Amino acid sequence: PSTMSTPADQQTTPIKKYQFVRRLKSRLARRRIRKEDEKILRAARDDATIQTEFDLPKTVKDALPDDAEKKNNDGRAIVVTECTGTFNMIGCNKAWENLCGYAECEIQGKDSSILQGPETNYDGLRDAVSRLFEGEQQATVVTTNYRKDGSRFKNLLTLGPLRDDNGKLTHFVAILKNIGDVKDAPKYH
């Protein structure tokens, strides 16, 4: 009879149901993360001692000028990454080197996982990158990063797209703002 389900139908339905549930859980988790991040960001923005608004560079040359003096006198801790694959870093400025403890030559070609550890807000980072790709707009997240020496700091991370003269997305820029050292636990790395 035609009303009987075949083994293939029985296998497809649970898989589709599983995929739907997984997508729904993922969306709900992203919504929860956004709400938690918004609460942390509001607290940071309400703190008059923390600068939370930055003018994001628009091009790689704006982010990492050829003029070494201009590049190294920028007080914003800036790192530029590729916009594909593992987002390997291509360069940074002196403020970023001072904050993170790595020299520019040490980070070129590496991904940002060198700054991450057990207390890093991976969900928030994934959500920020997702928002960045969805609208190619600036995204902000609070996370814990780790310096080269293993010490931790709370980081207000602002991500944005960099474009060429034709408006094509070429790279991403990240501006790191230390909003507090984390001193109550052992170092990592």
Side-chain angles (χ1 to χ4, degrees), residues 141-167:
V141 63
V142 174
T143 189
T144 299
N145 278 122
Y146 295 77
R147 295 181 180 93
K148 184 178 179 179
D149 69 6
S151 61
R152 300 172 299 154
F153 65 98
K154 276 288 187 198
N155 175 22
L156 179 67
L157 178 66
T158 304
L159 307 169
L162 296 175
R163 302 179 186 286
D164 64 16
D165 293 336
N166 298 319

Side-chain angles (χ1 to χ4, degrees), residues 63-84:
L64 301 173
D66 291 331
D67 179 354
E69 185 176 337
K70 185 175 181 182
K71 175 181 169 182
N72 293 326
N73 286 333
D74 191 332
R76 301 170 297 173
I78 295 175
V79 65
V80 174
T81 71
E82 298 170 343
C83 62
T84 58

